Amino acid sequence: MEKERFTLIEGGMTPKRISDCKKRLELCHVTNTRLMGVLAMYMRFELEDMPYPCIHQFFYFDAEEFGFESYKSVKGNDMHRVYEIGGGMMGGLGGTPVNLNLKEAVHLLKHFVNFNRERRLPMPEGISEYGFLLNMDDELSEPDRYILNGKICVRPQNDYETVNYFLMRCFGKDFEGADLIAKPGLSRDLFPDFKMGTLCKNSIDEGREPGEYICESLVEFDNAYHLTVTKVTVSGRRVSDYEKVNQLTVSAMEAAMMLSRPELVNVYSLPMDNSFTVDRSLSKLTEGAMISDYPGGKLFMIFHSHNDHVAKKEYRLNEDVLGLYYVSDRQLICAAYSKENIWVLEKDLAKASIRDRLKPVARYEFLEPVVYEYINSGFESFDEFVAIISQNEE
């Protein structure tokens, strides 16, 4: 039987607030990305006595700096908008959605609300919609908290993943997150003179003892780069010891050289009739892309659907990126950091709705990334941009 639809009639009774109406949680899930320092949660409530039959709620949590950072909602069943918000908020996290019950969801929300209050951070707009959750019981027993932590965290595939996640959380001063994969009582703040930092790159070598690893980490602290050396010992996929060996400052140029890698770029021409829409429906991969608008076009940053790059012996921060599309009035630029990834993007475009409008123009392989420089250069043609930078290098 089709569900009844409600219509707001002007001059009638003022609709109740969401906090006052009867509601039922139909679906709730969260990304299992707590060890990355971020989480995205989705809740769908069926509502009674309201002008819309349901509300879709999206929450974004940052465990390092911003806490309960963002809230968005869709009232009613505009599924196009629901998928758009979900793709934008969850698509770049690389995690798998895991189901939560209501008490677990409320506990998670209240945890980050308290994070904001303790640090005097503003709450996201929309509290009139999600405020009723803050009045619910969220008390969890120790076993229930263990179960919840197991849901929001991936289980490391190997010791490298344990080490990389642990260092990522420690350098980010997210010691609560570090504790999720460490033995109790472990010292974690070995660099107390620095504020929150970002692990840009980590190279792991085997130590002298089984489970012992020597880590050379490029970390950005306070807008400056530092090369740290630490010894991390892992037992049963949990960190059992953590020691500082060395630390030195490196220049931005040295850091750029350490992070540099090749970039493959395909260029396609587009018809100049503006007869297609440049949004998430552009292709299958753009449905979950991070979208940014620039004066000359629109950038689609496409992420892997997993975070397997964390399990590598050499971790790089931006290896969660599959590739990107940059669409202007005249061209579509397709770029990736490996042949495997550029092939995935090519296959995606071959099935896209605009495939018949794309005309291949050129293929390039650069020793270092150049597409972002092009996007901010003001050039309208990538080929003209390449010609100029080639002259400068001669």
Side-chain angles (χ1 to χ4, degrees):
M1 181 181 294
E2 184 177 349
K3 293 185 179 180
E4 182 180 358
R5 304 293 178 182
F6 295 92
T7 304
L8 177 62
I9 302 176
E10 290 191 20
M13 183 179 295
T14 303
K16 294 181 179 179
R17 297 176 300 175
I18 292 177
S19 59
D20 297 330
C21 75
K22 291 183 179 179
K23 44 199 162 288
R24 182 177 66 256
L25 181 64
E26 287 291 308
L27 179 63
C28 177
H29 57 241
V30 68
T31 55
N32 60 346
T33 51
R34 177 62 184 85
L35 295 178
M36 295 296 292
V38 290
L39 292 166
M41 184 171 72
Y42 165 76
M43 305 182 78
R44 179 180 184 271
F45 283 94
E46 293 287 325
L47 308 175
E48 294 184 15
D49 302 324
M50 293 293 286
Y52 38 89
C54 62
I55 184 169
H56 305 258
Q57 299 180 308
F58 297 87
F59 305 82
Y60 189 88
F61 307 123
D62 172 22
E64 290 185 358
E65 187 173 8
F66 300 109
F68 181 14
E69 182 177 353
S70 177
Y71 168 82
K72 293 184 179 180
S73 68
V74 177
K75 298 174 183 177
N77 283 314
D78 182 352
M79 299 311 295
H80 176 78
R81 180 61 178 155
V82 170
Y83 294 141
E84 183 177 39
I85 295 176
M89 190 173 287
M90 299 181 174
L93 302 187
T96 302
V98 180
N99 290 333
L100 296 182
N101 61 43
L102 182 57
K103 183 171 282 192
E104 290 171 333
V106 171
H107 181 86
L108 203 58
L109 173 60
K110 285 190 174 182
H111 176 82
F112 284 99
V113 166
N114 290 334
F115 182 106
N116 286 36
R117 288 172 176 168
E118 291 171 1
R119 293 161 178 78
R120 297 183 179 180
L121 297 172
M123 297 284 285
E125 294 182 0
I127 195 168
S128 61
E129 294 178 1
Y130 62 78
F132 72 92
L133 294 166
L134 305 182
N135 297 320
M136 290 185 174
D137 176 30
D138 72 318
E139 190 65 34
L140 295 179
S141 65
E142 284 300 321
D144 288 338
R145 291 188 183 188
Y146 180 82
I147 292 172
L148 176 58
N149 287 335
K151 289 182 176 182
I152 62 177
C153 297
V154 295
R155 177 171 175 76
Q157 306 172 45
N158 53 34
D159 284 359
Y160 300 146
E161 189 169 10
T162 300
V163 169
N164 286 325
Y165 272 131
F166 178 77
L167 291 178
M168 199 187 304
R169 296 299 92 234
C170 287
F171 290 132
K173 304 295 181 176
D174 173 21
F175 302 123
E176 178 183 82
D179 286 343
L180 295 171
I181 49 173
K183 297 292 180 67
L186 190 68
S187 296
R188 303 142 308 171
D189 194 4
L190 303 186
F191 302 88
D193 296 334
F194 298 109
K195 297 180 181 179
M196 181 188 69
T198 300
L199 178 62
C200 302
K201 181 181 177 181
N202 187 52
S203 300
I204 302 174
D205 287 323
E206 311 293 327
R208 295 181 179 179
E209 303 294 332
E212 184 180 277
Y213 302 95
I214 306 302
C215 304
E216 185 178 84
S217 310
L218 180 64
V219 188
E220 184 179 5
F221 281 124
D222 302 329
N223 297 316
Y225 289 96
H226 301 265
L227 197 61
T228 72
V229 179
T230 56
K231 183 170 71 174
V232 182
T233 305
V234 179
S235 176
R237 299 288 191 269
R238 296 178 71 84
V239 175
S240 57
D241 194 29
Y242 179 42
E243 300 176 26
K244 176 180 177 180
V245 178
N246 198 9
Q247 178 259 322
L248 58 91
T249 302
V250 297
S251 68
M253 184 175 294
E254 290 173 310
M257 292 178 62
M258 294 178 192
L259 296 174
S260 181
R261 56 180 176 170
E263 183 176 57
L264 289 82
V265 180
N266 293 352
V267 182
Y268 302 85
S269 65
L270 288 169
M272 300 181 66
D273 54 10
N274 296 321
S275 58
F276 62 93
T277 304
V278 183
D279 59 15
R280 292 191 184 280
S281 64
L282 188 72
S283 75
K284 182 64 177 177
L285 289 177
T286 56
E287 292 177 0
M290 181 181 295
I291 303 176
S292 302
D293 290 311
Y294 288 84
K298 192 181 293 286
L299 175 66
F300 296 85
M301 181 69 70
I302 302 167
F303 295 87
H304 286 289
S305 60
H306 54 75
N307 287 313
D308 290 350
H309 65 295
V310 185
K312 294 181 179 180
K313 191 173 183 179
E314 182 178 277
Y315 162 83
R316 287 172 177 262
L317 175 64
N318 58 3
E319 280 196 344
D320 58 342
V321 176
L322 172 62
L324 61 86
Y325 299 144
Y326 179 69
V327 186
S328 65
D329 292 337
R330 300 171 55 184
Q331 294 182 324
L332 185 149
I333 309 300
C334 168
Y337 299 125
S338 70
K339 291 181 178 179
E340 293 78 12
N341 289 351
I342 202 76
W343 289 338
V344 172
L345 298 183
E346 289 175 351
K347 292 178 182 178
D348 178 58
L349 289 176
K351 299 177 182 178
S353 59
I354 63 168
R355 60 186 179 275
D356 294 333
R357 299 172 177 270
L358 297 175
K359 181 180 179 181
V361 173
R363 292 174 180 266
Y364 298 95
E365 183 170 352
F366 300 95
L367 296 178
E368 58 186 20
V370 302
V371 170
Y372 274 103
E373 185 180 349
Y374 163 67
I375 291 173
N376 293 290
S377 68
F379 280 87
E380 295 183 357
S381 167
F382 188 77
D383 310 274
E384 294 174 2
F385 169 77
V386 172
I388 294 298
I389 62 174
S390 298
Q391 290 177 7
N392 293 338
E393 291 176 355
E394 293 178 356

